[in-house]
Amino acid sequence: MMKEIACKLLVIGAGPGGYVCAIRAGQLGIDTVIVEFGKPGGTCLNVGCIPSKALIHAAEEFEKISHMASGKSLLGISIAAPSIDLEATIAWKDGIVSRLNSGVVGLLKKAGVKTVHGWAKFRDGKTVEVQTETGMQVVRAEMVVIATGSAPVELPFLPFGGAVISSTEALGLSEVPERLAVVGGGYIGLELGIAFAKLGAKVSVVEALPRVLAQYDAELTRPVVKRLTELGIEVLVNAKAKGLSSKGDALLVETGNGRNGKIAADRILVTVGRKPVVEDWGLEQIDLDMAGKFIRIDDQCRTSMRGIFAIGDVTGEPMLAHRAMAQGEMVAEIVAGHKRSWDKRSIPAICFTDPELVTAGLSPEEAKRIGGEIKVGMFPFAANGRAMTKLGEDGFVRVVARADNHLVLGIQAVGQGVSELSTAFGLALEMGARLEDIAGTIHAHPTQGEGFQEAGLKALGHALHV
């Protein structure tokens, strides 16, 4: 039986962008329906950001204890060798995901949003059909937000299945693989590769480019590369994965000099990027303008079709949950008649490797290309008291500013726990801070955040502690 409902706003996809858009629209009194095939929270909450950070934290704790058991701990703590029950760890991770899922469901209800569970397909620009468990549901809407997200890219010669896994399956393994080959040395591959190495796997990373984490500058990634060596992770750069061995127990590779080799592996984790989900939901029925494989949007997230917006990963880089959330909130307010547009100076990006990486705004190279003469201030954590007490002396904070008026253009950091500094970095850029603003703000002592102030002082030519 076909049922019909009408609403003012239809949101397709309940990932970070979609559910935030629907909640904000509901708060603003807009009659809103959200359609989701899986669990609310999307990739980020279910098989991405949240579960991976849980696994990374468990791996960090295990490695810390293992180090204490090795008799090499500088803290004077010694204990017996630990063991890990990965199934129990995964159950703990699933518990966190479940609590957050329930939270999103509760927030949507509280905002008065109607949720339809199923797969939406466009019939035309204002109508979708949703195949639900109880039959076909037709939703007619005045306005539609496409928030269908992204999915892992599959390599044709290494299709997912069996030993070949994506990040989704890696976050659900019941035991630590003895040997793990990671194809792709970007942030997802290295975050998970480092975590499994800490849990006891023998990890090899295969990267086609001349260096890993190629989207960051080499100075920033140096402490991470050093740590990979310390953890015994084998890194092959300028190397191409070619497929699975005939027995299915090894990854075939072609190294930089054109030689063929193989890496023995119980599991092969393919992390060569993500692609927008633009298939199977009727994109051909509405004929939107595309920007490459992504949906083209303007600075209000409007597509080429009137009344249809698109947000999040389906609209292109950077594919980050917090970008999708900010776009979702903005679109809800535009639908409610508020004056809003996308004018963000900074979308901070974090790589949860060991040590962590944070970038906000422009790198020194980008700033030189765009703005000409710059000042750069860098402060090493080796000169920071709090970093010393946490055994986290590797890394630094770096501030990039215009030479003429000292406007801060970019801030980067690498070090233990620097992900939490991203908030300060984003705020400084968004508020148009100058070097004098950062240098003149009293930073609490002893904290790693003092490195931010010191980097500002260094760029002005009068650092105090280095």
Side-chain angles (χ1 to χ4, degrees), residues 117-167:
H117 193 263
W119 189 269
K121 278 198 173 182
F122 276 97
R123 196 191 272 176
D124 58 48
K126 292 193 181 303
T127 320
V128 300
E129 293 177 352
V130 186
Q131 186 62 57
T132 70
E133 284 176 2
T134 55
M136 191 66 80
Q137 173 97 64
V138 175
V139 185
R140 296 186 192 281
E142 287 175 43
M143 282 177 263
V144 182
V145 177
I146 297 167
T148 50
S150 63
V153 169
E154 187 173 40
L155 293 171
F157 51 87
L158 273 176
F160 294 131
V164 182
I165 58 174
S166 74
S167 55

Side-chain angles (χ1 to χ4, degrees), residues 55-210:
L55 185 71
I56 287 165
H57 178 68
E60 281 171 354
E61 294 296 300
F62 184 71
E63 196 234 356
K64 227 182 266 180
I65 297 165
S66 301
H67 191 63
M68 289 170 186
S70 71
K72 294 176 190 163
S73 173
L74 296 173
L75 301 177
I77 303 169
S78 58
I79 51 171
S83 63
I84 186 154
D85 174 354
L86 191 62
E87 262 187 283
T89 309
I90 297 299
W92 165 75
K93 174 267 289 182
D94 289 342
I96 291 170
V97 170
S98 175
R99 275 163 58 201
L100 290 168
N101 280 142
S102 305
V104 173
V105 170
L107 290 166
L108 287 165
K109 266 190 193 146
K110 186 180 164 190
V113 176
K114 178 174 171 50
T115 301
V116 176
H117 193 263
W119 189 269
K121 278 198 173 182
F122 276 97
R123 196 191 272 176
D124 58 48
K126 292 193 181 303
T127 320
V128 300
E129 293 177 352
V130 186
Q131 186 62 57
T132 70
E133 284 176 2
T134 55
M136 191 66 80
Q137 173 97 64
V138 175
V139 185
R140 296 186 192 281
E142 287 175 43
M143 282 177 263
V144 182
V145 177
I146 297 167
T148 50
S150 63
V153 169
E154 187 173 40
L155 293 171
F157 51 87
L158 273 176
F160 294 131
V164 182
I165 58 174
S166 74
S167 55
T168 300
E169 290 78 40
L171 292 166
L173 292 175
S174 56
E175 55 187 45
V176 179
E178 263 182 60
R179 298 159 308 175
L180 176 70
V182 179
V183 180
Y187 74 97
I188 298 173
L190 287 197
E191 282 184 5
L192 292 174
I194 288 172
F196 279 108
K198 288 177 174 180
L199 293 171
K202 174 77 187 94
V203 177
S204 303
V205 177
V206 178
E207 171 54 65
L209 294 170

